[in-house]
């Protein structure tokens, strides 16, 4: 008998779900509905949810005990307070304690009368006006957050400031210039070919904007237009400090969906799935509304614009997990499983959602595709740098004088973004360190900002491009507090699928919570995390910590090893 390869590995959960009609995300949604009605632990209510779908109790207990939205008890009034990097930087993390005091309930618990529950989350996408919270689905933001939650002030949630720095926006054309979407898809599906779309995207040099930076055309080509191919829009923008995807999904969802349609066309996919994180309720509503309108206008359906091209699109809500933004973990969550990273190979383009070839592209990536197909791949390739072409949305946090989302060409100096676009720090405060690319991206010192905004240049400085969120820390926040914050994020968001990351992140937090230098144990821990972690989450922890230590210099001695 021939040996069983990775792509043929038996998956018991998938096999069982296949026999039950692949309930997948319906299971997660049913669990979320049940959780919203109770403060009881999942062991009490999750088995009944599984039974209603025809699954054993274990199928529901797994995700119910994993996703933050499902593990946290809910009262009649459920509040989510952002504890992510930009909100932490805004007030040194004090806002969470202030909210707990005002509401009379600790994070992760429900009040004795069952009326109020509080959940600490990372992040809500209000990095430009933090700290932030969601009272139900109603946002409250800013320095008076506690007063808003207590009802002494009305809720405050300004729109995302957005501006173009390129002179010809690829991503913000609809947001800042009112350029309509759906100008490319009708023409392409009726008179174009999949190869035309593929060629233009290949010529553009477009790389994924979700952090990994993989060439989009290569990923599309890898599925080979295989039957059953699925394209997934990754709207699980989990990097605290970035709200680019939230901006696009809320302000211009049609452009994202047009990019999805073109991607499906190029890949030979008849099905698209849009995953929107639960922390973005307005984006979820806007995407669902836009999908409904796209069906009404003939863009989607069994015969798009009267052609033989069929395209069915579904919008799915996430359940609260940072690691579920990693493509294999995202696929697991869409199948109703815990959002843990899976070993590769097989890669999703070989065996992804329910075993089908699957392309996962993030929101910003797909939003660039209509411009590329309309204006040509070569026009896009002339922008940015030779190795990293095009434009990027950069998100500046609340500490900046002019926070907001800016579309810039790749290669723009970080220093120019900070000083000219962002206007430096609010009130003339002194920059202590700048976080680039999310909590596990990296940190730059104030004298190290003369670096191009490219993945290669930032990597050489110990940082990362990631989603290109820029979070500024002024000198009000102590270096040791920032270090602990990084480790708290790592420990809280590790999916637990591999012991190096699961155990290592917790041990790192213990070391960071003492005043003693970490010594040789940190050096050993860093090697294990970097070399043995299953996915990029664990592997990125050591360089993120080292970059923070280098940025702060002697004030974090011992962590730079």
């Amino acid at each position: 008998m021939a040996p069983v390869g990775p792509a043929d590995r038996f998956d018991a959960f998938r096999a069982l779900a296949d026999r039950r009609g692949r309930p997948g995300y319906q299971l997660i949604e049913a669990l979320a509905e049940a959780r919203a009605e109770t403060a009881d632990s999942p062991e009490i209510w999750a088995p009944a949810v599984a039974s209603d779908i025809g699954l054993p109790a274990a199928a529901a207990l797994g995700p119910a005990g994993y996703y933050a939205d499902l593990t946290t008890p809910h009262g009649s009034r459920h509040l989510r307070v952002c504890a992510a990097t930009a909100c932490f930087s805004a007030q040194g993390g004090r806002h969470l304690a202030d909210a707990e005091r005002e509401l009379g309930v600790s994070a992760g618990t429900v009040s004795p009368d069952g009326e109020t529950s509080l959940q600490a989350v990372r992040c809500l996408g209000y990095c430009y006006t933090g700290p932030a919270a969601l009272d139900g689905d109603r946002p409250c933001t800013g320095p008076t957050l506690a007063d808003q939650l207590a009802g002494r002030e009305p809720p405050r949630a300004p729109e995302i400031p957005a501006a173009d720095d390129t002179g010809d926006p690829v991503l913000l054309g609809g947001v800042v210039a009112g350029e309509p979407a759906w100008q490319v898809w009708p023409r392409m599906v009726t008179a174009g070919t999949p190869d035309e779309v593929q060629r233009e995207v290949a010529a553009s040099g477009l790389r994924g904007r979700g952090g990994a930076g993989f060439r989009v055309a290569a990923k599309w080509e890898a599925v080979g237009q295989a039957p059953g191919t699925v394209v997934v829009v990754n709207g699980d923008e989990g990097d605290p400090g970035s709200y680019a995807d939230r901006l696009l999904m809320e302000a211009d969802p049609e452009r994202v969906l047009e990019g999805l349609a073109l991607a499906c066309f190029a890949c030979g996919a008849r099905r698209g799935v849009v995953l929107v994180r639960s922390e973005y309720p307005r984006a979820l509503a806007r995407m669902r509304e836009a999908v409904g309108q796209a069906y009404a206008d003939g863009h989607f359906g069994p015969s798009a614009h009267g052609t033989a091209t069929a395209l069915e699109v579904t919008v799915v809500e996430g359940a609260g997990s940072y690691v579920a933004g990693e493509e294999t973990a995202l696929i697991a969550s869409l199948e109703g499983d815990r959002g843990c990273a899976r070993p590769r190979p097989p890669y999703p383009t070989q065996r992804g959602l329910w075993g089908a070839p699957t392309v996962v592209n993030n929101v910003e990536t797909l939003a660039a595709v209509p411009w590329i197909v309309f204006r040509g791949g070569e026009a896009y390739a002339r922008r940015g740098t030779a190795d990293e072409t095009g434009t990027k949305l950069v998100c500046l946090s609340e500490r900046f004088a002019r926070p907001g989302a800016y579309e810039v060409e790749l290669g723009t100096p970080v220093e120019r973004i900070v000083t000219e676009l962002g206007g430096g720090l609010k009130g003339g405060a002194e920059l202590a360190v700048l976080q680039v690319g999310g909590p596990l991206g990296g940190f730059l010192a104030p004298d190290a900002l003369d670096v191009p905004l490219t993945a290669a240049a930032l990597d050489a400085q110990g940082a990362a491009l990631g989603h290109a969120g820029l979070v500024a820390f002024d000198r009000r926040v102590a270096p040791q507090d920032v270090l602990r914050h990084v480790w708290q994020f790592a420990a809280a968001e590790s999916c637990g699928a591999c012991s190096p990351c699961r155990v290592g992140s917790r041990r790192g937090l213990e070391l960071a919570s003492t005043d003693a230098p970490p010594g040789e144990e940190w050096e050993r821990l860093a090697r294990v995390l970097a070399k043995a972690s299953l996915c990029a989450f664990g592997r990125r922890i050591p360089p993120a910590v080292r970059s923070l230590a280098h940025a702060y210099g002697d004030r974090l001695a011992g962590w730079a090893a």
Side-chain angles (χ1 to χ4, degrees):
M1 186 173 70
V4 177
D8 303 314
R9 188 182 296 119
F10 179 73
D11 188 314
F13 179 83
R14 276 178 169 169
L16 175 62
D18 269 336
R19 296 198 296 271
R20 296 292 185 268
R22 296 181 175 179
Y25 64 87
Q26 291 97 334
L27 170 61
I28 305 297
E29 291 182 348
L31 289 169
E33 291 175 3
R35 164 47 87 195
E37 301 297 327
T38 181
D40 293 333
S41 63
E43 291 82 0
I44 296 175
W45 52 268
V49 174
S51 178
D52 290 344
I53 299 178
L55 294 172
L61 286 170
Y66 174 80
Y67 294 102
D69 292 352
L70 305 180
T71 59
T72 305
H74 282 49
S76 301
R77 179 192 182 195
H78 185 64
L79 300 101
R80 289 175 281 182
V81 176
C82 182
T85 313
C87 289
F88 173 81
S89 172
Q91 294 184 349
R94 295 187 303 275
H95 67 287
L96 180 56
D98 290 344
E100 291 176 324
R101 184 172 56 255
E102 289 288 352
L103 299 168
V105 59
S106 299
T109 68
V110 62
S111 60
D113 60 6
E115 286 298 312
T116 305
S117 54
L118 182 62
Q119 178 184 355
V121 299
R122 305 167 181 84
C123 105
L124 296 175
Y126 288 90
C127 316
Y128 58 95
T129 184
L134 286 177
D135 188 348
D137 286 344
R138 183 180 62 183
C140 303
T141 71
T144 63
L145 177 63
D147 290 327
Q148 295 173 50
L149 297 179
R152 292 189 293 270
E153 289 191 12
R156 174 185 176 274
E159 297 294 323
I160 299 173
D164 171 57
D165 184 56
T166 70
D168 183 13
V170 172
L171 301 160
L172 293 182
V175 177
V176 303
E179 297 175 2
W182 297 119
Q183 301 301 299
V184 182
W185 172 240
R187 173 178 58 83
M188 189 56 61
V189 74
T190 55
T193 67
D195 286 345
E196 288 181 58
V197 178
Q198 175 74 23
R199 282 198 303 271
E200 296 299 344
V201 172
S204 75
L206 177 66
R207 293 179 179 269
R209 299 303 192 219
F214 195 77
R215 286 191 178 273
V216 173
K219 183 179 284 191
W220 290 3
E221 186 178 355
V223 297
Q225 296 193 346
T229 294
V230 181
V231 177
V232 175
V233 183
N234 185 351
D236 194 16
E237 181 180 41
D239 273 356
S242 178
Y243 42 91
D245 291 351
R246 185 190 142 219
L247 170 65
L248 293 170
M249 289 189 288
E250 290 183 3
D252 200 4
E254 297 83 6
R255 200 168 309 273
V256 179
L257 294 177
E258 185 171 22
L260 168 62
L262 291 165
C264 288
F265 191 55
C267 296
R270 300 168 64 91
R271 183 183 174 205
V273 180
V274 184
L275 187 284
V276 183
R277 62 199 310 258
S278 66
E279 295 89 345
Y280 287 179
R282 185 181 176 192
L284 178 68
R286 290 287 290 119
M287 290 301 295
R288 284 177 168 163
E289 177 187 347
V291 166
Q293 189 61 49
Y295 271 102
D297 293 341
H299 300 308
F300 300 157
S303 177
H305 291 289
T307 68
T309 298
L311 181 54
E312 304 298 332
V313 176
T314 306
V315 179
V316 179
E317 182 178 9
S321 167
Y322 177 85
V323 172
E326 190 274 338
E327 61 179 10
T328 63
L330 183 148
I331 288 168
S333 71
L334 289 174
E335 293 176 344
D337 205 350
R338 295 161 64 95
C340 298
R342 291 170 169 171
R344 293 180 292 183
Y347 293 93
T349 51
Q350 302 168 281
R351 189 168 187 261
L353 185 63
W354 299 115
T358 302
V359 168
V360 180
N361 289 139
N362 95 311
V363 166
E364 185 179 337
T365 305
L366 291 174
V369 172
W371 192 99
I372 290 170
V373 176
F374 181 70
R375 300 280 287 274
E378 291 185 1
Y380 187 85
R382 288 193 291 269
R383 313 183 72 172
T385 71
D387 295 325
E388 298 184 40
T389 62
T391 69
K392 182 79 186 74
L393 285 179
V394 178
C395 297
L396 274 58
S397 71
E398 174 271 347
R399 288 288 84 198
F400 286 94
R402 292 190 291 271
Y406 296 85
E407 183 167 357
V408 304
E409 291 202 11
L410 284 167
T412 301
V414 173
E415 186 170 29
R416 178 173 176 270
I417 296 171
V418 169
T419 59
E420 295 184 26
L421 301 183
L425 266 58
K426 187 178 296 182
E430 185 180 355
L431 178 67
V433 291
L434 180 72
Q435 185 186 74
V436 186
L440 301 182
F443 294 82
L444 297 175
D447 61 357
L449 302 184
D450 188 19
V451 55
L453 187 80
T454 65
L458 289 167
D459 182 67
Q461 296 294 320
L465 179 62
H467 276 83
L470 303 187
V471 178
F473 283 87
D474 57 32
R475 297 195 177 276
R476 299 177 307 164
V477 185
Q480 195 69 30
D481 291 341
V482 182
L483 175 68
R484 276 193 295 269
H485 176 77
V486 171
W487 279 112
Q488 286 166 351
F489 176 88
E493 294 295 341
S494 172
C495 76
C498 68
S499 56
C501 181
R502 181 181 66 251
V503 178
S505 60
R506 295 172 185 171
R507 181 54 185 151
L509 177 57
E510 291 173 357
L511 292 173
S513 299
T514 67
D515 293 329
E520 293 183 2
E521 183 175 358
W522 159 234
E523 296 180 25
R524 293 193 298 270
L525 180 60
R527 287 195 297 271
V528 172
L529 281 165
K531 296 182 179 297
S533 294
L534 179 61
C535 76
F537 182 91
R539 295 194 293 268
R540 278 298 313 170
I541 297 174
V545 170
R546 289 193 188 100
S547 72
L548 177 64
H550 283 298
Y552 271 121
D554 293 342
R555 287 169 288 181
L556 286 180
W559 290 94

